[in-house]
Amino acid sequence: MRKLLKRAAALALAVLMIVPTLAGCKNTGKKLTTPLVVGYSAFSQKFSPFFAKTSYDQDVASMVSISLMTTDRSGATIYNAIKGETTEYNGTKYTYTGPADIAVNFDKDANVTTYTIKMRDDLKFSDGEKVTADDIIFTYYVLADPTYDGSSTLYSTPIIGMQNYRTQTSDEVYAKYQDMGKKILAAGEDHAWSSSDAWTEEQQKGFWEIVDAQWSADLQAIVDTCVSDYASAASDLGFDPEKLEDAGYAVAFGMAGWGFAVMSEDGKTLTGASGKTWDIAGGTYPTIEDYLAEVKTVYPGGVVDYVAAGESPDSVDIPTNSVDTFISTYGPKDESMNGAGVPNISGIKKTGDYSVEVKTTGYDASAIYQICGITVAPMHYYGDKAKYDYDNNKFGFVCGVFSPVIVKTTVPMGAGAYKFVKYENKTVYFEANDNFYKGAPKIQNIQFKETADSDKVPGVYNGTIDVSDPAGSTQTMKEIQGYNSNGEVTGDTITTSMVDFLGYGYIGINANTVNVGGDPASEASKNLRKAFMTVLAVYRDVSIDSYYGELADVINYPISSTSWAAPQKSDDGYRLAYSVDAKGNDIYTSDMNADAKYDAALKAALTFFEAAGYTVSDGKVTAAPAGAKMEYEIIIGADGEGNHPSFGILTNAKAALEKIGITLTINDPADSNIMWDKIEAGTQEMWVAAWGATIDPDMYQVYHSSNIVGKGGTDSNSYAIADADLDAKIMDARTSDDQSYRKSVYKECLNIIMDWGVELPVYQRKNFVIFSTSRVNVDTLPKDITTYYGWMSEIETLENYEAK
């Protein structure tokens, strides 16, 4: 499972933050009043455990929260955390304690897995309220709500009754209306209803209204894409780019841009495919409904023909989404439901004041992280106590109404070691939680201060900040060594912790915006993206070595090399990323030097451009096929200064592509939120970022088609990869507890991802955390910091030195 780290990467854990915990006596020492200041990259102010997406926002949430699950330094689960368990790491035995005991039992005969969670009975939230099973139940129901759109994918686990609750139907009714919806779709919109049909006239009418709503949303997305990505072409179609901010004028532009209308040469009149006209000069603009009517004129066979034509990247989902909405709209009205709906999730049970039980169908290897890895959120704070009555199926909020939960997004609260005080002047302020179950933290106040990467090392040196995480480059190492009198990375001024980063750097391409003919899945579209990836890939070695030196390795598959599922060089079929041409021939030979490889990559790229339908003549690309371009943008969050390990890849690739007639425009905004806004809107073409991983390599969150940006899932599939075979393999890998089998399936998944040409794995790096040796008592940091056990894992016992 993975999350995208904003500004060195970011977009979302599928489980809410797991906070490892260590055993030990409660803290009783003197409070240290000098604030500990930690230099952080910019926050997005989504600090709620339900909606935090960036790693930085999630760190804020984890400071004030606790997770049910406890893990050790190797990432293994501690099942008996209340009393504590001792495991060995690097020759040393460590004892771990935590908030809850966890038990997992798979009954093969019944094909049911039972997860039993028992919490300590002395846990309190920072406001003094006790943490009980009711808070766990509330948290589960928020994450399971059909309108929840945060980063958790708890709803995707096979919890018994989950589908019933989210659709408010029984299994029988769900199957009935799924079949009914498919039959109405197959009959077609022009079907004349009769009493012999297996559905009512109202249901038929309602189904097509749902289709029109889904279809209209797809068309609106096309309009938005036209405005955001093709505004420069507006004048060529007779439109004024300055007027595109007007919603109606934008619809007209979208219609013309997608070939369903034509603007007159004088820019005054728009004529649709049906012959209908709009007086644009007079301010009469078409609506989305008008756009839909024109599309139906071109496709009298309706949405099925529209989908078959591949008119838009997301159109393939309209039928499925329409059937799903039909089920949840009409299924609950079935007479067999008696108007009662489904009041609860049958597989989630409160078994005591401090215990819950969750049952799933079959076995799912990733489910333990979804079910037991949740952050326990206070129902009385995020929800409404008056709306909670477990025995009467009331769970702290009205199903589908999230306003009480959402309003607290910027002001989190929980049972963690610290209390959130405020976010002000780009700084998050915390104070110690006296109710923390391991005792009040020794440091009274901590601040997370937004700090540019270039200021992190100097900041620790000059006292502006005490702790930070600068990019682990050779330049950073030299800078740190220069501040220490011994010339090492750990000395009298700065202490450095280096461990393998649980994640990797990558370059992504959005299949929805970089394709041929509007079909992201076509071979031509894949070849277009592979053309770019081939050129980008060849410059990885020189750029990463220059930036990181021995602190990072170039990787060839889109998975962290810290994962057990990562392919190894010794594995059968292992190959360098994008190292064959369009005909499948190897691009490189063992005797090639760097310059020879660069030339070979460029020649191979030409084979891909040609296979994508581009016109190639005399070693140059001269024309693009319909729906593709001669120029694309790649956006990178490098502080507007090129300060990023992959920046050299982009500049080299840009120069190389120019030689063959292709323009790669590099956008490095000073404010990286510009990049993230594009990614979250799904309008970016290419981008540079990094993934952070979690313990299990489950790929559902990032690569499953249900999570493509804008489709109502986690919005974490920024690549817009929609591949039925990949979806099936992702789900198949979840159902096995055989690690070897899962690894083989994940290798197949990785190959599919690479074949789509949407991701270039770039580097696996070391994670740098630096501390002021003179202001932080480094002897109180956790011993044996690892990829899975960071410096904040024992934040409650950390000490700093009082200011003199």
Side-chain angles (χ1 to χ4, degrees), residues 15 23 69 75 128 140 172 264 277 299 335 398 416 447 462 515 522 539 553 555 599 670 714 799:
V15 297
M69 178 181 281
Y140 280 145
E172 294 76 17
S264 60
T277 61
Y299 293 104
E335 59 181 16
V398 176
Q447 299 171 13
N462 63 34
N515 60 64
S522 71
Y539 292 107
D553 296 309
I555 58 174
D599 290 341
T714 64
E799 298 177 5

Side-chain angles (χ1 to χ4, degrees), residues 671-699:
D671 181 1
S672 59
N673 277 311
I674 293 173
M675 177 176 76
W676 298 109
D677 288 344
K678 278 197 168 192
I679 291 172
E680 291 180 2
T683 60
Q684 84 286 8
E685 292 179 339
M686 306 181 197
W687 75 101
V688 181
W691 282 115
T694 52
I695 298 168
D696 189 83
D698 177 48
M699 297 180 175

Side-chain angles (χ1 to χ4, degrees), residues 486-535:
N486 62 2
E488 303 291 337
V489 291
T490 291
D492 54 353
T493 302
I494 295 175
T495 295
T496 303
S497 168
M498 288 188 291
V499 297
D500 284 336
F501 175 60
L502 187 59
Y504 64 93
Y506 74 95
I507 294 174
I509 298 183
N510 182 353
N512 277 352
T513 56
V514 182
N515 60 64
V516 177
D519 183 2
S522 71
E523 288 303 313
S525 294
K526 292 177 182 178
N527 285 324
L528 167 58
R529 296 188 291 267
K530 288 177 186 177
F532 284 101
M533 290 304 198
T534 299
V535 177

